[in-house]
């Protein structure tokens, strides 16, 4: 166990403020942000806030936001900043975010990053944000996205090529039939990649310029990538 992980454990045991603080996971569609966020949740005990998951929950519940977002997401485009920022603002008011949180898939545009930076600047007791980008090459991303299957019950993420369930199409944990996201097709992936290059790549540069940034190689095992993220965060929190 690393000294950082030890410190987190100690912080938890003594009730001191835990250390991870706000972590941003950036990366193209299929880079493994959701998978890694779940690993970090287990390790650090802070919540994953996935704007994609929150939007999909709104779509499933048929809220006004969900009705607006559904078509946009289906085309692989980005939901307007004001709507996503508002959704994140509400989520960040929950008390479980007090010791930190992992923002998965947010910010995805420079205005979203500006909004988040401004918000954090008003919270003097908050640790500065650390952005981690997971890098994976295009062909690998395509394979991951088109092979991805999700458990609708426990949200576990599988991949038919590289991380298949024990029984074809069935969640190992829940026994539920796995589902494929509507936007995980090759055609929509291409549009999502266009949105990533045009809108999100500048966000990566923004955090790189601020010096609060690390890039990890996402073409490794889940455990090795998680260890790379922990090491990067540990370095920057020293
Ligand atoms: P994800 O689950 O992160 O791949 O997101 C799925 C889709 O939700 C994206 O293709 C966008 O349409 C939408 N979405 C998720 N996060 C954001 C965000 N931060 N800003 C705008 N749209 C988002």
């Amino acid at each position: 166990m690393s000294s950082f992980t030890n410190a987190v454990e100690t912080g938890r045991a003594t009730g001191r403020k835990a250390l991870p603080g706000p972590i941003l996971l950036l990366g193209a569609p299929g880079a493994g942000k959701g998978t890694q966020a779940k690993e970090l949740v287990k390790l650090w005990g802070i919540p994953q806030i996935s704007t994609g998951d929150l939007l999909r929950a709104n779509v499933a519940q048929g809220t006004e936001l969900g009705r607006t977002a559904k078509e946009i997401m289906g085309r692989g485009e980005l939901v307007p900043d004001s709507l996503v920022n508002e959704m994140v603002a509400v989520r960040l008011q929950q008390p479980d975010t007090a010791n930190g949180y992992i923002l998965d898939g947010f910010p995805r545009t420079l205005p979203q990053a500006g909004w988040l930076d401004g918000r954090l600047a008003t919270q003097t007791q908050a640790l500065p944000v650390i952005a981690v980008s997971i890098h994976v090459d295009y062909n690998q991303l395509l394979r991951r996205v088109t092979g991805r299957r999700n458990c609708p019950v426990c949200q576990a993420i599988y991949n038919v090529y590289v991380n298949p369930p024990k029984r074809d199409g069935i969640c190992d944990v829940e026994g539920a039939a796995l589902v494929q996201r509507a936007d995980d097709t090759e055609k929509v992936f291409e549009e999502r990649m266009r949105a990533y290059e045009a809108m999100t790549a500048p966000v990566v540069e923004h955090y790189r310029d601020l010096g609060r940034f690390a890039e990890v190689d996402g073409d490794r095992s889940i455990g090795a990538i998680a260890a790379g993220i922990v090491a990067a965060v540990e370095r920057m929190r020293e």
Side-chain angles (χ1 to χ4, degrees):
M1 193 183 280
S2 72
S3 58
F4 178 66
T5 311
N6 264 326
V8 173
E9 290 300 328
T10 312
R12 239 187 251 153
T14 58
R16 268 195 288 117
K17 242 183 173 335
L19 293 170
I23 308 288
L24 314 182
L25 278 187
L26 309 173
K33 300 185 293 292
T35 301
Q36 287 303 318
K38 287 178 176 57
E39 293 297 302
L40 299 173
V41 165
K42 279 189 253 164
L43 198 59
W44 290 336
I46 57 175
Q48 169 193 16
I49 302 178
S50 156
T51 44
D53 285 351
L54 291 174
L55 288 166
R56 280 185 288 279
N58 273 278
V59 171
Q61 287 157 16
T63 65
E64 198 183 326
L65 169 61
R67 287 197 297 276
T68 309
K70 188 175 180 189
E71 305 274 300
I72 300 170
M73 293 169 77
R75 289 195 299 268
E77 294 167 9
L78 294 184
V79 175
D81 294 331
S82 58
L83 300 180
V84 180
N85 292 351
E86 174 59 23
M87 183 180 77
V88 171
V90 170
R91 180 62 184 86
L92 289 181
Q93 276 159 12
Q94 298 294 313
D96 64 345
T97 60
N99 291 334
Y101 43 85
I102 299 155
L103 272 172
D104 155 8
F106 182 92
R108 252 181 166 94
T109 67
L110 282 176
Q112 290 178 13
W115 174 85
L116 181 68
D117 293 349
R119 190 192 153 92
L120 288 169
T122 65
Q123 298 174 340
T124 43
Q125 79 289 12
L127 287 167
V129 78
I130 291 179
V132 182
S133 174
I134 306 173
H135 179 79
V136 176
D137 75 33
Y138 187 94
N139 288 334
Q140 188 66 253
L141 291 170
L142 175 62
R143 206 168 123 90
R144 289 197 190 176
V145 164
T146 54
R148 176 158 55 190
R149 301 291 182 273
N150 300 64
C151 172
V153 180
C154 70
Q155 317 306 326
I157 305 169
Y158 298 88
N159 186 289
V160 296
Y161 306 115
V162 291
N163 177 30
K166 292 193 184 81
R167 277 169 58 211
D168 212 15
I170 304 291
C171 177
D172 294 346
V173 184
E174 298 292 338
L178 300 177
V179 294
Q180 183 175 26
R181 276 170 46 174
D183 57 351
D184 275 351
T185 61
E186 185 164 350
K187 187 162 171 283
V188 182
F189 168 77
E190 282 165 8
E191 185 51 44
R192 289 163 70 198
M193 278 305 286
R194 270 194 287 278
Y196 177 80
E197 292 298 343
M199 315 293 278
T200 311
V203 174
V204 171
E205 294 317 311
H206 169 73
Y207 286 106
R208 199 194 299 272
D209 290 348
L210 288 179
R212 309 224 46 86
F213 174 81
E215 186 167 81
V216 297
D217 173 8
D219 195 7
R220 294 177 294 167
S221 71
I222 292 171
I225 301 165
I229 296 174
V230 170
V233 170
E234 183 172 3
R235 248 190 340 268
M236 279 187 278
R237 284 282 182 242
E238 267 167 5

